[in-house]
Every structure is written in structure tokens, then in C-alpha cells.
Amino acid sequence: MDGSIDGSIVLFGPPGAGKGTQAGRIVKLTGKPAVSTGDILRAAVVAGTDLGMSAKGFMDVGELVPDEVIIGLIAERLEADDAVRGVLFDGYPRTIAQAESLENVAKVSNVISIEVPDDEIVERIVGRRMDPETGDIYHIKFKPASNKIQSRLIQRKDDNESTVRNRLAAYHVQTAPLADWYDERGLLSRVDGTRSIADVGNDIASKLST
Ligand code: AMP
């Protein structure tokens, strides 16, 4: 069934592939708001809502939050006025059941798969740090912050090696099959995510304009 909202984009890929980084650029390019289920869940954990309390245990160990929780959260988000011309999904859908349910509420026009091998993912995520004041993302080796900012940087609770391995396992078992699912529907574009942020961004922009 066609969804009620046209023209949404899905950013697809393993944790640490650069989806959040590239989302900022695509938002500027398309004017569509980014919808990151990870960000929504983290905000709910901080706020201590029922949603946050039910999600926290899964997030801390790197497992997926149950589909029914995520599907409800997305239905609510898509009711906001800014979603009428479609949105940019970052980190959603992550299972076939989520993708099937998404078909009922929004029409996906493009799926961009950012591909990065597992070894590189672990190095990227374990060194990742965030500036809590701006939300900017740094990396201890690949994108160090200035001395002034460095002392206030924080690490996401689930960005440690053992949780990253679980998140990667969840990705390979539950999420990766979605690439074929979207490919069969003629929607998938693959992008090599091991290049510079600018090169990956240019590649995505060209895929979205064709
Ligand atoms: P992310 O910021 O996208 O890496 O998500 C962080 C964590 O939030 C994941 O490891 C999951 O526990 C949970 N999460 C985010 N999005 C989803 C989703 N679409 N389905 C299930 N769990 C999710």
C-alpha cells in the first residue's frame, strides 16, 4: 500500500557508517527534516519517559528496541507538520517488519546504503566523542577537537567495544537483509562509506539527483 506521505529518504548502513554526519548535509540539500530513531530514543532516556525506560536496557547492550515500540514512535513523529513533504530517516527502518509498517505511513523514494567494513566500524565508534553543547561529533584520531572543546566531550554509553560488537551483530542479522528488500523494489543505491566525508556526501547528492 502507498503511504500517505510522499518522497521520504532512508539512510541505511551499519552503526558508525556516517549516517548522522551525512544526514546534516542531506537536510540542507533537500529541506526534509532528519528523523533519527536513535536520537529520539536517547532524548527519551534522558527525559526518563516510559518510552525511554523501556528502550534503555536494549540500547545499553546494543540490541534493537522491539519493533512495536519503534513503529509507534515513528507513527507519532510523522504526524508533525514538518513531515508532510517526506523526511530523511536515519537509523530506521532496521528490520523487515519496520520497513513493511513504514509502507503504510510514508512512501520511500530513495534508500542510500553507506557501506563500511566491520573492522573500520569498531575503530570509528570506539573513538567517537560528542560535544554536548553543540551536538557536534568528533573522533580522537580522525577528527580531534580543539583543546578548548576537548575537556567537555562525552562518549555515548553504547560506544564501547563490547556493545559495538553486539550492535554490529544485530545489524548483520536483523538489518542487513533490508538492503536486498529495498534493492528488489528498485530503491537502493550503494555508496562506499570509507572515503572522506565530502566524497561520500557528493556521491549521495548525485544519487539523490538522478
Ligand atoms: P543509533 O543511534 O541509530 O546507533 O541507535 C542507538 C540504539 O538505539 C540502537 O543500538 C538500538 O538499541 C536503538 N535503536 C535505534 N533505532 C532503532 C530502530 N529503528 N529499531 C530498533 N532499535 C533502534
Side-chain angles (χ1 to χ4, degrees):
M1 184 171 80
D2 270 3
S4 53
I5 299 172
D6 263 359
S8 287
I9 300 166
V10 171
L11 261 183
F12 181 83
K19 299 189 295 295
T21 301
Q22 296 298 339
R25 177 166 177 177
I26 304 171
V27 165
K28 285 201 194 101
L29 200 72
T30 63
K32 296 179 197 293
V35 173
S36 157
T37 40
D39 284 350
I40 295 171
L41 292 169
R42 275 184 291 280
V45 170
V46 171
T49 61
D50 288 349
L51 169 68
M53 308 233 258
S54 56
K56 186 176 185 309
F58 297 100
M59 297 170 77
D60 283 350
V61 293
E63 287 174 16
L64 293 188
V65 172
D67 285 335
E68 56 276 16
V69 174
I70 299 289
I71 288 168
L73 173 167
I74 286 290
E76 197 182 312
R77 176 62 184 86
L78 293 182
E79 278 169 18
D81 290 347
D82 68 347
V84 288
R85 277 177 218 86
V87 304
L88 170 66
F89 291 108
D90 163 4
Y92 175 86
R94 261 174 154 102
T95 63
I96 303 271
Q98 290 178 18
E100 283 172 348
S101 121
L102 180 58
E103 286 192 310
N104 297 324
V105 286
K107 188 157 190 252
V108 172
S109 53
N110 277 291
V111 179
I112 305 288
S113 171
I114 307 181
E115 310 200 326
V116 177
D118 284 9
D119 293 347
E120 194 170 327
I121 295 287
V122 175
E123 192 182 15
R124 281 186 184 194
I125 295 192
V126 173
R128 182 158 74 173
R129 300 290 183 275
M130 189 186 69
D131 179 350
E133 285 183 24
T134 61
D136 290 343
I137 303 292
Y138 295 89
H139 189 282
I140 51 173
K141 187 162 146 198
F142 306 128
K143 195 186 172 196
S146 66
N147 286 343
K148 191 174 146 233
I149 296 175
Q150 218 157 41
S151 58
R152 68 173 189 236
L153 295 185
I154 56 170
Q155 184 176 29
R156 255 172 65 172
K157 197 168 179 218
D158 58 350
D159 277 356
N160 62 78
E161 181 154 356
S162 79
T163 306
V164 170
R165 301 250 174 231
N166 283 344
R167 287 161 67 196
L168 271 174
Y171 173 77
H172 286 298
V173 175
Q174 293 166 277
T175 307
L178 263 181
D180 284 346
W181 195 88
Y182 276 123
D183 203 17
E184 283 160 16
R185 287 157 179 76
L187 295 173
L188 191 81
S189 299
R190 295 178 193 274
V191 167
D192 173 3
T194 62
R195 297 166 299 163
S196 70
I197 292 172
D199 284 353
V200 175
N202 290 338
D203 201 358
I204 293 174
S206 77
K207 299 263 163 35
L208 290 178
S209 65
T210 50

